[in-house]
Amino acid sequence: MSDSDSLHSMVGKRISEGGGIGVRTTTECTVGEVASTLAGILDDLKEDDRRWILIIEIAGVPMRYVQVLVTREGGLWAECVSDEFLGPEEKLSNQQRELLPLLGWQWPSPPAGPNWQFHDELLDTGTAIAGLMLRTLSEVYGYDSNCHIRVILFPVADRIPNVGEE
C-alpha cells in the first residue's frame, strides 16, 4: 500500500469514526503523496453529512496553507493564505499575488473573507478543488512533490455560518 493510499484510508477511517467537533487528525506526508488522492478525499468529505475542514500546510516560515471547508450543502469552499495572516517579511510577492487570480482565486475581502477564496457551483468537485490547491502549492508557493506537508482534518459545528454568511 502506498503512502497516498494510507492517507486516503486514514481519512476514510476518520469519516466513519466521526469524532468530536474540532478534534483534529494530523498526518505528515509529501505533496506528491497527497496529490494522487486529494480529489477522492474531497469527494468523500462532500458525501458525509457533517461539515469538515481540511488544511494542507507547509511547516516553517513563511507559513503557507490552502484549506477547504465542506459547507452544510455539501459544497467545497477553498481558501489560501493571504497577507493578513503573514508577518511583514512573509507577505506574498507581487508575482504571487498576480498569479493567484489567474489560477481562479478571488481576492481577499476582509473582514468577512480575509483569505484568497474559491467557490464555484459548476466547479464544485474534488477534482477541480484539488487541482487548484495543488497548482497553488507548486506554481505560487514553489513547492515540489517532495516537499513535506501536514494534512489536518476535523469536523466543525453546524452552528458556524458558511463563509460569506452573516
Side-chain angles (χ1 to χ4, degrees), residues 146-164:
N146 296 318
C147 180
H148 289 275
I149 59 173
R150 276 191 292 268
V151 178
I152 303 163
L153 176 68
F154 56 96
V156 293
D158 281 336
R159 70 179 181 277
I160 297 173
N162 282 322
V163 178

Side-chain angles (χ1 to χ4, degrees), residues 1-33:
M1 178 182 282
S2 72
D3 289 333
S4 62
D5 289 336
S6 62
L7 175 64
H8 201 167
S9 296
M10 181 276 302
V11 171
K13 183 177 178 183
R14 178 63 200 270
I15 291 170
S16 66
E17 291 176 354
I21 298 299
V23 175
R24 295 176 179 228
T25 300
T26 302
T27 301
E28 297 203 14
C29 58
T30 65
V31 171
E33 291 164 351

